[in-house]
Amino acid sequence: PKQMKHVEERFGKDANKEVLLICIGITSGLGRLIFGRVADYIPGVNKVFLQVLSFLVIGLMSMMIPLCNIFGGLIAVCLLMGLFDGCFICIMAPIAFELVGSQDVSQAIGFLLGMMSVPMTVGPPIAGFLRDRLGSYNVAFYLAGIPPMIGGAMLCLIPFVESKRKKRELKSKTEMAQSMLEHKKDSKCPVEDTSVEKTPDPESVI
């Protein structure tokens, strides 16, 4: 809603603001198709870094909305924002599956959607409050671009945390395997069974 109000204030009520929503919707669908194929079929592509890129671009484009003085520039910003919004949506579930596994993936996705609902619910009233106080939506757009960029920076830490966790798991498995091998070696040591009485040799009796 604040985008539409911003367009009316910046370019007048006669501006074709519905075009912006159409651009975001079309490029969001294209982004899901393109980045889904890129993440699945191009070897060596890290899904986490694609998600980081989408967060950074979405945050940067949000900050650039107040800087667009021509309607064409605003359309270009919305096209890029929709494209990487599609990237964010289509990669969210595979990343959650890779990080938490198949058993906890539903809880992880639910937690992500719940966290996403907080700024979507609180954001419009805050933007309206800032508009009433400051006279424009510029500060609201600048502030809206900060959380995605912070989230992208925090996502950069996930590969390093995961590599350390895998190293710890591998180390614990090797130590467990070594202890089992040592236990098997100890169990194979010959032990003389004294419970069975030896029968004398017949020839020695004769």
Side-chain angles (χ1 to χ4, degrees):
K2 66 178 182 294
Q3 288 94 338
M4 302 299 102
K5 293 292 185 180
H6 174 76
V7 172
E8 290 182 1
E9 293 179 358
R10 180 65 63 87
F11 301 102
K13 293 183 179 181
D14 295 334
N16 194 3
K17 52 185 178 295
E18 290 79 10
V19 174
L20 301 177
L21 296 177
I22 295 174
C23 292
I24 292 175
I26 291 174
T27 53
S28 179
L30 290 175
R32 300 179 195 192
L33 296 174
I34 294 172
F35 288 102
R37 289 284 182 175
V38 168
D40 290 337
Y41 295 104
I42 295 181
V45 174
N46 194 325
K47 296 183 181 66
V48 175
F49 290 135
L50 277 179
Q51 194 78 309
V52 170
L53 179 63
S54 66
F55 278 160
L56 294 178
V57 173
I58 290 172
L60 184 61
M61 292 300 103
S62 178
M63 291 181 173
M64 288 186 65
I65 288 176
L67 303 178
C68 295
N69 295 322
I70 58 175
F71 194 73
L74 192 59
I75 290 176
V77 168
C78 290
L79 289 173
L80 281 175
M81 184 179 292
L83 185 67
F84 284 93
D85 177 74
C87 173
F88 159 71
I89 292 174
C90 74
I91 298 179
M92 177 179 62
I95 289 178
F97 182 83
E98 290 182 0
L99 293 178
V100 301
S102 59
Q103 294 181 350
D104 300 327
V105 66
S106 59
Q107 296 180 1
I109 294 176
F111 179 76
L112 286 173
L113 294 176
M115 293 295 293
M116 289 170 58
S117 66
V118 175
M120 291 181 179
T121 305
V122 179
I126 294 177
F129 175 78
L130 293 174
R131 165 66 179 80
D132 295 337
R133 292 289 182 178
L134 303 176
S136 68
Y137 287 99
N138 293 347
V139 176
F141 283 113
Y142 293 140
L143 294 177
I146 295 175
M149 300 182 78
I150 294 176
M154 293 179 66
L155 275 176
C156 291
L157 301 176
I158 289 180
F160 301 103
V161 174
E162 280 295 301
S163 63
K164 289 184 179 180
R165 183 180 65 84
K166 290 180 180 179
K167 287 180 181 179
R168 287 196 301 267
E169 290 180 355
L170 182 61
K171 185 178 179 181
S172 63
K173 288 180 181 179
T174 53
E175 290 176 354
M176 186 179 297
Q178 289 177 356
S179 63
M180 291 177 65
L181 288 174
E182 292 177 357
H183 181 69
K184 287 182 180 180
K185 287 181 181 179
D186 295 337
S187 63
K188 287 182 180 179
C189 293
V191 179
E192 186 177 358
D193 190 2
T194 57
S195 63
V196 180
E197 184 179 355
K198 292 183 179 180
T199 57
D201 191 1
E203 295 181 357
S204 62
V205 174
I206 297 174

